Amino acid sequence: MVGGGQGAFIGAVHRLAARVDDRFELVAGALSSDPQRARESALELGIGIDRAYADWREMARAEAMREDGIDAVAIVTPNHLHAPVATAFLEVGIHVICDKPLAVSLEEGEALAKLAREKRKLFALTHVYSGYPLVRHARTLVEDGALGEIRIVHVEYAQDWLAEPVEAAGANRQAAWRTDPRRAGPAGCLGDIGTHAYHLASFVSGMMPNAVSAELHTFVQGRQLDDHVQALLRYPNGARGMLWASQVASGAENALRLRVYGTEASLAFDQEMPNELWLTMRGGAAQRLTRGRIDSVDALHATRVPAGHPQGYAEAFAQLYLDAALQIEAMDAGRPPPAESRLLATVDDGVAGLRFIEAVLASSAADGRWRDLR
Ligand SMILES: NC(=O)c1ccc[n+]([C@@H]2O[C@H](COP(=O)([O-])OP(=O)(O)OC[C@H]3O[C@@H](n4cnc5c(N)ncnc54)[C@H](O)[C@@H]3O)[C@@H](O)[C@H]2O)c1
């Protein structure tokens, strides 16, 4: 693992997720930018002293030389380090599991995609919300034509934890780097949660928009990056979409919601209620589909616990680790990846997210002018 030391947020979730299906063991880490904290964090997690690295470059070199070197690295640092760290590990032939957004520019992202292909290594991107069984079921329903022709895609992702200038006091580390363009990249809320919303909408609808008109806004005075984004989307089949993401929506916790409307029916999913999915036929009564009572292959593959028992965020994350393990095993054995692992987000999804970011930045700078996404 690179990043995820003491006091960090998502590293601990990755560690939990990696262990759920007993496919991974954490054996090495460069867990912090501060060498002493990196060592202390590693020892606290039971990593041996010889593999508690002070620096990720050293870790990549040393692990590549070991007989028992790591199979994969999980990258859970702030955004600006994703590309350099992933590059260092891919270069020495180590599979990569990286958090989003893929990089801080489209150019960087495209270079990573090229490198991963050249090196024939896995590059998984942890768009966790695609790991829920009912999100996978929703995708299957769309693919099977249950909704008819898709007309409207509506995705929203609202949080309130940046509604105040919490970064100013310096105490909130997560807020500090997310509002600093040198570490977050050119997009604030857009890169942080807008990319999740964009991925979820594409994942379920099976469609990529071809044009966007957007406005970024910063509500909190003095903040350097956007904390709110609203965008209109056009799809090649004539469908229309809307995406809004905000980190200043007072009262919102982690309100990621998706609605997809077709000519025959619609779907609604709320991330805070991940064990239910609503399906409504045109003119019909709403049907509440529950996680334990659905039978699509992709949903069953992502199911961990029996009907009526809540399954949530940690298991969705674990699903990505399981799919990554299945793909790594296959790649290392020279086999094609098993079909059930195919929904894992890849470096190409990351590139699509970066293309979206660049188009939104450009559209917003041009007062909402439509930008091509192809
Ligand atoms: N998939 C998701 O749902 C999800 C959720 C939260 C965060 N994220 C992503 O995960 C990443 C980390 O976010 P976070 O909230 O955990 O941030 P964080 O600030 O809590 O943790 C970042 C960690 O990276 C470490 N780090 C910084 N520079 C380093 C270096 N040079 N070498 C080694 N470690 C270094 C820090 O010391 C810290 O331990 C971000 O890219 C973020 O977008 C994804």
Side-chain angles (χ1 to χ4, degrees):
M1 175 167 280
V2 176
Q6 290 164 341
F9 166 42
I10 208 67
V13 179
H14 277 252
R15 292 193 291 271
L16 171 65
R19 290 190 300 244
V20 167
D21 295 298
D22 294 320
R23 299 296 185 108
F24 291 94
E25 196 187 340
L26 180 66
V27 293
L31 302 180
S32 170
S33 52
D34 174 69
Q36 193 177 336
R37 192 193 280 251
R39 274 206 194 84
E40 279 171 16
S41 304
L43 297 180
E44 222 172 70
L45 293 168
I47 293 174
I49 185 78
D50 57 326
R51 299 173 94 175
Y53 299 97
D55 183 272
W56 50 267
R57 297 172 195 85
E58 181 197 337
M59 175 174 159
R61 275 194 300 271
E63 288 296 321
M65 306 276 287
R66 290 179 73 108
E67 284 258 307
D68 64 347
I70 55 171
D71 296 308
V73 62
I75 302 172
V76 289
T77 61
N79 306 345
H80 68 305
L81 290 170
H82 294 178
V85 176
T87 302
F89 283 86
L90 287 173
E91 290 282 10
V92 295
I94 292 170
H95 299 289
V96 171
I97 298 169
C98 183
D99 223 313
K100 43 49 60 179
L102 174 62
V104 293
S105 72
L106 180 57
E107 200 185 344
E108 247 187 12
E110 282 173 339
L112 275 179
K114 185 165 172 274
L115 183 62
R117 263 188 270 284
E118 275 168 17
K119 297 285 177 183
R120 296 173 186 271
K121 293 293 153 192
L122 174 79
F123 198 117
L125 195 71
T126 47
H127 275 305
V128 51
Y129 305 108
S130 60
Y132 284 120
L134 283 174
V135 166
R136 293 187 170 200
H137 188 65
R139 181 191 164 98
T140 299
L141 288 173
V142 172
E143 211 169 61
D144 289 352
L147 272 59
E149 176 87 5
I150 303 301
R151 286 176 164 167
I152 305 156
V153 179
H154 191 293
V155 66
E156 62 188 60
Y157 196 159
Q159 301 177 332
D160 74 356
W161 70 288
L162 294 178
E164 297 279 325
V166 285
E167 66 271 29
N172 187 325
R173 288 167 45 187
Q174 283 75 26
W177 71 255
R178 278 177 172 81
T179 53
D180 171 7
R182 284 166 309 161
R183 291 179 285 168
C189 171
L190 169 64
D192 200 37
I193 59 173
T195 49
H196 269 314
Y198 187 70
H199 181 260
L200 181 69
S202 316
F203 183 86
V204 171
S205 70
M207 307 188 304
M208 297 299 287
N210 56 357
V212 61
S213 159
E215 182 185 20
L216 293 170
H217 190 66
T218 306
F219 279 98
V220 171
Q221 257 199 344
R223 185 168 281 163
Q224 292 185 67
L225 294 172
D226 62 279
D227 50 28
H228 177 92
V229 50
Q230 45 199 38
L232 300 177
L233 304 167
R234 286 179 184 153
Y235 289 88
N237 75 336
R240 293 294 186 265
M242 276 166 274
L243 178 153
W244 76 273
S246 184
Q247 293 179 306
V248 300
S250 294
E253 294 181 2
N254 200 52
L256 171 59
R257 295 180 185 139
L258 174 71
R259 280 171 283 168
V260 182
Y261 297 85
T263 48
E264 304 304 322
S266 65
L267 281 175
F269 177 78
D270 176 350
Q271 190 282 146
E272 292 180 345
M273 306 285 281
N275 289 279
E276 63 181 41
L277 172 70
W278 293 85
L279 172 66
T280 311
M281 303 308 290
R282 176 166 37 82
Q287 296 174 55
R288 178 172 167 268
L289 310 182
T290 53
R291 184 195 52 76
R293 296 283 159 83
I294 46 167
D295 58 3
S296 60
V297 173
D298 289 329
L300 291 177
H301 173 60
T303 295
R304 296 286 183 289
V305 296
H309 296 74
Q311 184 177 315
Y313 178 64
E315 292 92 342
F317 235 112
Q319 184 58 35
L320 308 187
Y321 270 87
L322 174 62
D323 289 339
L326 292 170
Q327 294 200 12
I328 288 171
E329 276 169 8
M331 286 173 104
D332 288 353
R335 285 186 271 112
E340 66 269 25
S341 71
R342 76 191 186 292
L343 299 182
L344 181 63
T346 66
V347 70
D348 296 322
D349 294 296
V351 170
L354 294 171
R355 188 169 293 123
F356 177 65
I357 288 177
E358 291 216 349
V360 167
L361 288 167
S363 172
S364 185
D367 205 20
R369 187 176 321 149
W370 285 92
R371 304 295 298 207
D372 206 318
L373 271 168
R374 280 164 298 190

